[in-house]
Amino acid sequence: PNPDLVREIARTVQPHLLRVLSAASQTQRQFEDLELTAKKERKVVPYVADEINLTRLGPEHDFSQIMPEDLAMGDDVFFANFVQGDLSVIENVELTKETPSLYVLIDLSGSTDYEKSNGATRVQWEAGVTLKLMLRALAGQAKFSVRFFGDTPYELVKVESEAQAQQMIDMLLRLNHRNSGTDIMAALEQAVKDIGEQDNTNVEYSDILLVSDGESPLDEYRLEQLFNPDSKLRL
């Protein structure tokens, strides 16, 4: 784009919004390891499914899958084709979509009002990060939800439609800190509870991204329970 035009547009944007958008533009590399794109898979199943696939008889098949035309051959021809691997079988193929899920915990405690070295406050940086990740999630058809917190978790916000995304954008562009403390443990426990209550059909795993500038007491034993290898949760 024309640099002069970009500068002219930037001068019309409120400084608060500009800092949020600037943080969003610099977010990509920091969270490249977050998988936010749904994956479609084709799986052979032993029952009638979405698609039928015609292939050659292999060790993974049984005789019940052989095409009727091949079964109708004379014995000599049938066994000759069997030896040569020329028998056709029908496979039932089920189409599935594995949907990533990202749940973001955003700290709005009083200390997030402090300015970073570039003049943006910590909460403006948090808003920009959340904005960029939400757009990535929507583009990749991933599930996305946000819960803000301080010394207690606030309301859960799910983004599952364009209208909800627009509401979230408006919220993030106006986001501000609250005069409260920081309780990370309560926020994490609430996040795990929220995810457990969601419809996690075809969700391979759920990522919980904690964004905070503070410290608070953590129960290590409880964390190991919440994020054990079988929980399908990643913090």
Side-chain angles (χ1 to χ4, degrees):
N2 185 314
D4 293 333
L5 180 59
V6 171
R7 283 192 287 271
E8 184 64 29
I9 294 174
R11 279 195 288 269
T12 68
V13 180
Q14 297 176 16
H16 174 83
L17 304 186
L18 200 58
R19 293 187 186 107
V20 172
L21 296 174
S22 176
S25 69
Q26 299 171 30
T27 295
Q28 184 71 21
R29 290 185 179 180
Q30 295 166 306
F31 301 101
E32 286 180 341
D33 57 333
L34 286 176
E35 181 56 63
L36 295 176
T37 302
K39 300 176 183 177
K40 293 183 179 180
E41 292 193 352
R42 303 173 78 254
K43 181 181 178 182
V44 176
V45 293
Y47 47 82
V48 177
D50 305 305
E51 290 186 358
I52 291 177
N53 184 43
L54 189 64
T55 187
R56 293 297 185 188
L57 178 68
E60 70 277 15
H61 302 117
D62 58 55
F63 276 68
S64 66
Q65 295 173 273
I66 296 176
M67 288 284 289
E69 292 86 346
D70 287 358
L71 290 172
M73 297 175 182
D75 289 349
D76 291 344
V77 176
F78 178 86
F79 286 109
N81 287 346
F82 174 75
V83 171
Q84 296 172 12
D86 285 338
L87 295 177
S88 299
V89 296
I90 298 173
E91 292 179 333
N92 291 300
V93 179
E94 186 173 73
L95 304 179
T96 61
K97 184 171 78 170
E98 290 185 349
T99 306
S101 172
L102 178 59
Y103 183 115
V104 185
L105 283 170
I106 300 292
D107 179 4
L108 294 184
S109 59
S111 59
T112 59
D113 190 42
Y114 292 170
E115 289 189 1
K116 293 158 59 69
S117 58
N118 61 1
T121 64
R122 294 169 180 172
V123 75
Q124 289 168 344
W125 182 85
E126 290 178 325
V129 166
T130 307
L131 174 60
K132 184 57 174 284
L133 291 175
M134 182 189 72
L135 296 178
R136 275 184 58 197
L138 290 177
Q141 297 183 311
K143 291 188 175 184
F144 187 84
S145 51
V146 176
R147 191 183 279 274
F148 303 102
F149 74 97
D151 45 23
T152 186
Y154 305 140
E155 184 180 357
L156 175 66
V157 184
K158 296 182 180 180
V159 180
E160 298 174 335
S161 67
E162 288 188 15
Q164 290 174 333
Q166 185 58 59
Q167 290 175 354
M168 175 59 73
I169 290 172
D170 293 341
M171 183 187 302
L172 291 172
L173 292 178
R174 300 193 313 268
L175 193 63
N176 210 336
H177 76 289
R178 302 187 186 182
N179 293 318
S180 70
T182 306
D183 191 337
I184 292 175
M185 195 69 218
L188 290 174
E189 292 203 297
Q190 184 63 59
V192 172
K193 180 181 178 183
D194 289 339
I195 292 172
E197 293 174 349
Q198 292 177 359
D199 177 10
N200 291 312
T201 305
N202 295 329
V203 174
E204 182 181 9
Y205 54 83
S206 296
D207 280 321
I208 298 176
L209 176 63
L210 170 67
V211 184
S212 175
D213 70 332
E215 296 181 358
S216 69
L218 295 175
D219 183 335
E220 186 174 344
Y221 175 73
R222 180 62 177 146
L223 285 174
E224 289 176 352
Q225 287 182 313
L226 294 175
F227 298 100
N228 69 79
D230 298 325
S231 69
K232 294 186 177 180
L233 295 174
R234 301 191 305 196
L235 175 61

